Amino acid sequence: EAGVAQSPRYKIIEKRQSVAFWCNPISGHATLYWYQQILGQGPKLLIQFQNNGVVDDSQLPKDRFSAERLKGVDSTLKIQPAKLEDSAVYLCASSLRVEGYTFGSGTRLTVV
Amino acid sequence: SQQGEEDPQALSIQEGENATMNCSYKTSINNLQWYRQNSGRGLVHLILIRSNEREKHSGRLRVTLDTSKKSSSLLITASRAADTASYFCATVIQGAQKLVFGQGTRLTINP
C-alpha cells in the first residue's frame, strides 16, 4: 500500500511570501489531517477534512492559512503571507477509522 | 491545546538499559497511541491501546493504560542506539476522529 505523499520536502521562503504544500493521502482514506510541528514540540492539528468537508479547523490561523481538499482526495495547505513563526514541519496524515493513522514524511518550512 | 503531557521531557540512558516514558491526558479517550519520530520528520506508529485495555506488548515495547488516572506508560526494554528518537503519545478523544499529541520525550541511547 502506498503511503501518504507530501511535497515539497523542503521549502525556504522570505517572510511575507506565500507558500503551498501538497498532500496525497492513502487511497480510500476519507479523513485527512494537516498538522504543524514546531521544533521541539508535538504536532498540533491545524485542520481535519472528512471527504471534502472541513470537520475541525479551530486551530487554523485563518487570516493567513487556508486549506482545501477538492474532490475529497488530495489536499493543499497555503500560507499567505508567511511569518517567521510559521517555520515548522507540516505533516499530513490520513485515516480510515480511529485506529489507523498514516503520516507523510512532512514538509520542512523555513521562513527567513 | 495539547491533550497529553509526557514525562520526562528528555531521557538519556545506556544501551541495554530499559527506558520508561509516561503520558498523562485530560479527557476520556477512545484509544491512546505511541509514535516515534527521528530527526523531526515523519511519525512512525508504534503501538495502540484501546480504552478497555490495560496492557499491550509489541516486541520490546510494553504499553500500559490506566484510565482512572488518565495515564499511560511506554517501556522499551533492552534499548539500542537505534531507539534514539522522540516519542509521542497521542490520544483519540471519545466522539472525535482526530489524534491529539503531547509534547514528546526525547530519548537518547548512549553506546
Side-chain angles (χ1 to χ4, degrees), chain A residues 9-10 31 33 35 37 41-45 48 56 59 89 91 95-99 101 103-106 108, chain B residues 1-2 30-31 33 35 37 39-43 45 48 50 88 92 96-104 106:
Chain A
R9 294 205 66 184
Y10 304 91
T31 312
Y33 314 79
Y35 285 84
Q37 186 178 20
Q41 299 183 16
K44 181 183 82 172
L45 180 67
Q48 175 186 354
D56 184 348
Q59 297 198 78
V89 175
L91 295 161
S95 71
L96 185 59
R97 58 191 189 284
V98 297
E99 297 187 353
Y101 295 81
F103 283 82
S105 297
R108 184 182 298 277
Chain B
S1 64
Q2 300 298 118
N30 180 296
N31 64 67
Q33 304 177 30
Y35 287 80
Q37 187 178 46
S39 304
R41 296 313 301 266
L43 290 153
H45 179 264
L48 177 151
R50 298 182 181 90
F88 295 91
V92 176
Q97 187 178 337
K98 63 180 181 181
L99 272 176
V100 181
F101 286 83
Q103 294 298 315
R106 293 185 304 279

Side-chain angles (χ1 to χ4, degrees), chain B residues 44-62:
Chain B
V44 175
H45 179 264
L46 295 176
I47 196 166
L48 177 151
I49 187 165
R50 298 182 181 90
S51 60
N52 62 352
E53 297 176 315
R54 292 297 167 259
E55 186 171 315
K56 211 162 181 181
H57 297 255
S58 177
R60 294 184 295 113
L61 305 179
R62 172 178 169 255

Side-chain angles (χ1 to χ4, degrees), chain A residues 17-59:
Chain A
Q17 286 187 326
S18 62
V19 64
F21 313 124
W22 175 81
C23 172
N24 191 1
I26 290 177
S27 178
H29 281 195
T31 312
L32 183 148
Y33 314 79
W34 283 102
Y35 285 84
Q36 178 194 57
Q37 186 178 20
I38 293 172
L39 185 64
Q41 299 183 16
K44 181 183 82 172
L45 180 67
L46 291 177
I47 189 166
Q48 175 186 354
F49 291 95
Q50 181 75 19
N51 296 309
N52 61 349
V54 175
V55 174
D56 184 348
D57 63 356
S58 57
Q59 297 198 78

Side-chain angles (χ1 to χ4, degrees), chain B residues 71-91:
Chain B
S71 67
S72 173
S73 67
L74 171 67
L75 169 68
I76 303 174
T77 61
S79 64
R80 305 167 182 170
D83 295 329
T84 294
S86 291
Y87 291 81
F88 295 91
C89 74
T91 54

